[in-house]
């Protein structure tokens, strides 16, 4: 009786395997020239490509110019400290909201353009408001050279 049950199970497995298409069959094409399987051409994500270009361009600019590197690191260090404080402390987030009347965007690793959006948000705010936020959170304010670097980039 056991062998009958195992034979039936084998038959069911064979039927299921024959009737069910491969999970990847929608993405595969048969290549009639050599009876093999050919994958479609790889398509690169435009957003990912732009992100790579901007990151590599920034690294190259830092390697070529000491003044660019100094300005970029000074600005990014200060705004990163601000984003860290706002994202880790509800009290700091509320302090920033009090001055801006809206939430302060912070960059995140999963959105490729979130750094750009967060920097653009700071750029669009009045310097007095940004200075008040930095002061209220006990962070070093943006210097005139930081502001000019921010406007330049």
């Amino acid at each position: 009786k056991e062998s009958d049950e195992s034979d039936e199970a084998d038959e069911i497995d064979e039927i299921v395997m024959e009737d069910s298409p491969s999970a990847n069959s929608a993405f595969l094409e048969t290549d009639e020239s050599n009876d093999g399987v050919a994958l479609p051409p790889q398509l690169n994500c435009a957003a990912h490509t732009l992100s790579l270009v901007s990151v590599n361009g920034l690294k190259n600019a830092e390697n070529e110019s000491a003044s660019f590197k100094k300005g970029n690191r000074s600005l990014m260090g200060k705004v990163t400290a601000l984003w860290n404080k706002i994202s880790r402390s509800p009290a700091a987030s509320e302090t920033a909201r009090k001055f801006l009347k809206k939430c302060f965007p912070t960059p995140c690793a999963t959105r490729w353009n979130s750094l750009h959006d967060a920097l653009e948000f700071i750029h669009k705010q009045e310097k007095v408001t940004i200075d008040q936020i930095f002061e209220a959170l006990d962070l070093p304010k943006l210097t005139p050279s930081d502001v000019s670097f921010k406007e330049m980039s």
Side-chain angles (χ1 to χ4, degrees):
K1 186 172 179 174
E2 257 182 53
S3 66
D4 290 340
E5 288 177 5
S6 68
D7 288 341
E8 285 179 23
D10 290 341
E11 286 178 27
I12 292 172
D13 286 344
E14 287 177 23
I15 293 170
V16 170
M17 293 301 286
E18 288 174 9
D19 291 342
S20 65
S22 168
N24 293 328
S25 66
F27 299 107
L28 302 176
E29 303 176 352
T30 56
D31 183 1
E32 293 181 23
S33 64
N34 64 4
D35 293 338
V37 176
L39 295 174
Q42 180 180 359
L43 300 175
N44 293 327
C45 173
H48 184 240
T49 302
L50 287 172
S51 177
L52 290 173
V53 167
S54 67
V55 168
N56 289 336
L58 186 61
K59 287 179 185 176
N60 290 341
E62 281 190 346
N63 290 337
E64 292 177 14
S65 171
S67 63
F68 180 85
K69 183 176 185 175
K70 182 179 178 185
N72 185 52
R73 298 238 172 139
S74 174
L75 173 65
M76 293 305 293
K78 290 175 183 175
V79 296
T80 299
L82 174 65
W83 293 325
N84 285 341
K85 195 156 197 173
I86 287 173
S87 65
R88 293 177 183 164
S89 165
S93 182
E94 283 303 314
T95 300
R97 181 187 282 234
K98 181 175 67 173
F99 289 107
L100 297 170
K101 309 293 188 246
K102 58 176 120 178
C103 291
F104 205 102
T106 57
C108 69
T110 56
R111 285 192 52 224
W112 72 271
N113 62 337
S114 65
L115 177 62
H116 174 268
D117 292 344
L119 286 169
E120 185 177 39
F121 181 83
I122 291 173
H123 183 71
K124 288 182 177 181
Q125 304 308 311
E126 293 184 28
K127 180 168 177 2
V128 174
T129 305
I130 295 298
D131 283 346
Q132 289 172 333
I133 294 170
F134 274 90
E135 189 174 318
L137 298 177
D138 295 324
L139 295 171
K141 291 186 201 176
L142 297 178
T143 63
S145 62
D146 292 331
V147 173
S148 65
F149 183 82
K150 177 181 69 152
E151 292 170 356
M152 192 174 64
S153 45

